[in-house]
Amino acid sequence: MNLSIVISASAALLLSILSLRLLDAYYWSSIRSLLPFTRSSPVADLIVWNGTIYTSDASLLFADSMAIRSGRVLRVGSYSSLKELVHSGTKQLDLGGKVVVSGFIDSHVHMIFGGLQMGRVELRAVNRKEEFVRTIEEAARNSKSGSWILGGGWNNDLWGGELPVASWIDEVTPANPVWVTRMDGHMGLANSVALEVAGVSKLSKDPKGGTIARTADGELTGLLIDSAMKLFLGSIPEVSLNERREALVRASKYVLTKGVTTVVDFGRYYPGAPVEFSWQDFSDVYQWADSSGRMIMRVCLFFPMETWQLLLDQINKFGRVLSQWIYLGGVKAFADGSLGSSSALFHEPYVNEPHNRGLQLIEHERLLNMTVASDKSGLQVAIHAIGDKANDLVLDVYQSVTSINGVRDRRFRIEHAQHLAMGAAARFSQHGIIASVQPDHLLDDADSASKKLGKERADLGSYLFQSLLGSNGSLAFGSDWPVVDIDPLHSIRTAIKRIPPGWEDPWGRTECLTLKEALNAYTISAAQACFLDNDLGSLAPGKLADFVILSTDSWDQLAAGGSASVVATYVGGVRSFP
């Protein structure tokens, strides 16, 4: 064989091998460029750094930086520990030293009702009778003859305690029916035109669990309390589908401005309201918003306990997690009314009404039976209780249900838990019952509680936050919006300081919380209170990247009860406000 031929063949073979290797290297290099996460360390979509990040995660409470990928927290720590997660597409946000917290979870709201109220007569800040009348008169002047004037938020304690009556507004609303609810939603005022439209007269009887207010002479005052409102509500024109959808969109945008990224929504369900409202809003509004891409914050939905079977059917078909936005929570019932409406249920009578101990809105046996059935089906149960007797009643029901259905992780909730008898706070932690409370309510109740209950009774048993935490107890904070404004930072300051308007000293100093305790009640504890702690409530790795940037760079200032505002709200690592 010719030597030159052998050399040429060998060279060709070598070049072929090298070419194949080069092509192979190019091929895999191309594949890696299409698959960026094949690196030994994952890469971040966003890194926020140079801040004070309170994670609400006990394993690492503070960090200065956080990495996010695909809408979840990838890593928290020092900036140097996150550098390996940076690549060409990673965005970086310098916090400038500002405080960051996990997205707030408001544990008790009425979203659509709140959104509707934003477009109605607003009486929340009214502190004089004359202003109350003038506000409604102005609304009537801007309304067509015969159209309903709706609104609410009034608090008679702001003008000395006198309850409004129809005669205040009859003269300025001769051609319009009026219905305006008290801030707590347990009482409403109708003018004489509205009473006539609804067919409510002196001959009307009080329904069970409700009161039609009358003068000593038997004349109607225009006030309807708790379940008595159902005599009236059927006459109010039904809110249109578009109005309800617009209300959700409006409300969602608003709560994001306050740093709230998740709410527990108890719907348009209150004493006297049809149970169908909650289900109509679920199908017509929430599912519409989800399917059309209009959901911008997360919601956990609770439904009337009477409809527990419907909820069970939904969960059996679709599961609890319907999307990244909508979770099916549980069921709710009412044990009593409210302090402001003098319908909260107490063991002892109201000081200023010696024959009134409040209203029990549901028979004990019926409440027990529905709770047993709901709980046996695996549904979470939440029951509204404000007065000390109502709270004892619900605690007894929960204890009985546990004895009947056995021990499991059920996370029973009591909504409000505002006034407790001696020893009741300890029962919450003993039985793992969550106190879902609203700190800003104490600002409105401080003066009226002393008048209605007597100072000693009010001081000893009202808003016992620190006592409820007790030995491993659980608090979940919320607002009850639109009863009061939705503003977690304000509520946190209230829980820390507990100083009502016009007061110099705290109302119940020993019940003040620390900043960490209050923040946890709005984050990790709030998530645990509705079984969402696998995904929400802290900025631990793996959790959804919902977080809030605050205006302050001083943790100590916040801890002392100092003020701050929301600079930006992120949901799933995406800036959602502003």
Side-chain angles (χ1 to χ4, degrees), residues 88-386:
S88 59
T90 301
K91 295 179 181 178
Q92 298 197 50
L93 175 63
D94 183 355
L95 295 170
K98 288 184 171 58
V99 173
V100 170
V101 296
S102 183
F104 296 121
I105 300 172
D106 192 307
S107 295
H108 192 118
V109 303
H110 307 272
M111 277 293 282
I112 294 175
F113 185 61
L116 290 170
Q117 182 60 38
M118 291 173 74
R120 293 176 173 175
V121 178
E122 178 56 69
L123 299 167
R124 189 191 308 276
V126 171
N127 57 13
R128 292 183 300 114
K129 170 185 173 180
E130 295 77 15
E131 187 181 357
F132 180 92
V133 175
R134 181 192 58 76
T135 303
I136 293 175
E137 180 182 16
E138 183 179 345
R141 204 165 40 240
N142 296 323
S143 301
K144 295 178 182 178
S145 177
S147 64
W148 280 79
I149 296 171
L150 303 172
W154 55 268
N155 180 2
N156 51 298
D157 294 322
L158 296 181
W159 59 72
E162 182 184 6
L163 287 167
V165 291
S167 59
W168 286 15
I169 58 175
D170 279 345
E171 187 176 337
V172 299
T173 58
N176 298 89
V178 176
W179 175 250
V180 287
T181 54
R182 193 180 186 277
M183 57 172 290
D184 52 27
H186 288 266
M187 175 189 289
L189 175 68
N191 68 348
S192 294
V193 176
L195 289 171
E196 185 177 352
V197 170
V200 179
S201 71
K202 290 193 296 183
L203 300 177
S204 300
K205 295 182 179 180
D206 290 349
K208 184 172 289 188
T211 302
I212 302 170
R214 295 174 169 86
T215 66
D217 298 329
E219 297 295 327
L220 300 181
T221 68
L223 291 169
L224 297 128
I225 302 170
D226 285 311
S227 63
M229 294 187 290
K230 70 183 177 184
L231 304 174
F232 186 84
L233 297 178
S235 301
I236 298 175
E238 190 171 337
V239 183
S240 73
L241 176 59
N242 284 338
E243 286 175 319
R244 288 185 286 134
R245 288 176 173 178
E246 289 169 4
L248 176 62
V249 172
R250 186 186 306 126
S252 299
K253 291 178 180 178
Y254 179 65
V255 303
L256 286 172
T257 69
K258 302 295 186 175
V260 175
T261 55
T262 301
V263 298
V264 180
D265 185 8
F266 287 91
R268 292 186 294 148
Y269 177 52
Y270 48 90
V275 297
E276 293 80 14
F277 280 178
S278 296
W279 288 101
Q280 290 169 2
D281 290 341
F282 169 60
S283 60
D284 298 342
V285 181
Y286 276 115
Q287 290 188 313
W288 161 82
D290 195 19
S291 62
S292 60
R294 287 175 172 84
M295 290 295 296
I296 55 176
M297 38 77 67
R298 309 184 204 281
V299 60
C300 179
L301 300 173
F302 273 67
F303 298 85
M305 194 185 291
E306 298 97 312
T307 66
W308 67 268
Q309 186 64 59
L310 286 174
L311 179 58
L312 181 62
D313 292 343
Q314 285 287 326
I315 292 174
N316 286 339
K317 288 180 184 177
F318 306 109
R320 286 192 68 230
V321 182
L322 301 187
S323 70
Q324 65 166 317
W325 306 110
I326 300 178
Y327 304 81
L328 297 179
V331 293
K332 180 193 178 183
F334 287 89
D336 67 345
S338 72
L339 180 72
S341 299
S342 298
S343 57
L345 185 65
F346 287 94
H347 289 289
E348 300 298 326
Y350 287 82
V351 171
N352 58 339
E353 298 179 66
H355 300 293
N356 179 24
R357 297 172 187 257
L359 294 173
Q360 182 173 328
L361 300 186
I362 186 171
E363 299 89 347
H364 178 274
E365 185 177 1
R366 183 163 183 254
L367 180 61
L368 176 60
N369 290 339
M370 285 200 302
T371 305
V372 167
S374 301
D375 176 75
K376 192 172 184 178
S377 300
L379 300 176
Q380 189 179 17
V381 175
I383 301 177
H384 164 118
I386 288 182

Side-chain angles (χ1 to χ4, degrees), residues 453-476:
L453 307 179
K455 188 176 186 308
E456 182 179 1
R457 189 169 141 204
D459 290 351
L460 290 176
S462 302
Y463 296 91
L464 305 182
F465 299 158
Q466 194 60 250
S467 298
L468 282 164
L469 276 180
S471 55
N472 209 27
S474 181
L475 286 179

Side-chain angles (χ1 to χ4, degrees), residues 2-24:
N2 190 310
L3 182 60
S4 62
I5 294 174
V6 172
I7 293 173
S8 298
S10 300
L13 179 61
L14 180 61
L15 285 172
S16 298
I17 293 170
L18 289 172
S19 297
L20 284 171
R21 288 185 175 177
L22 286 171
L23 285 169
D24 181 72

Side-chain angles (χ1 to χ4, degrees), residues 410-450:
R410 46 176 46 94
R411 306 186 199 182
F412 280 144
R413 297 167 59 117
I414 293 184
E415 303 302 313
H416 310 304
Q418 288 178 7
H419 308 282
L420 303 179
M422 186 73 70
R427 294 179 65 188
F428 279 77
S429 55
Q430 287 168 7
H431 300 290
I433 296 167
I434 294 154
S436 171
V437 299
Q438 300 76 41
D440 280 343
H441 279 328
L442 76 82
L443 302 179
D444 297 313
D445 281 352
D447 291 323
S448 63
S450 293

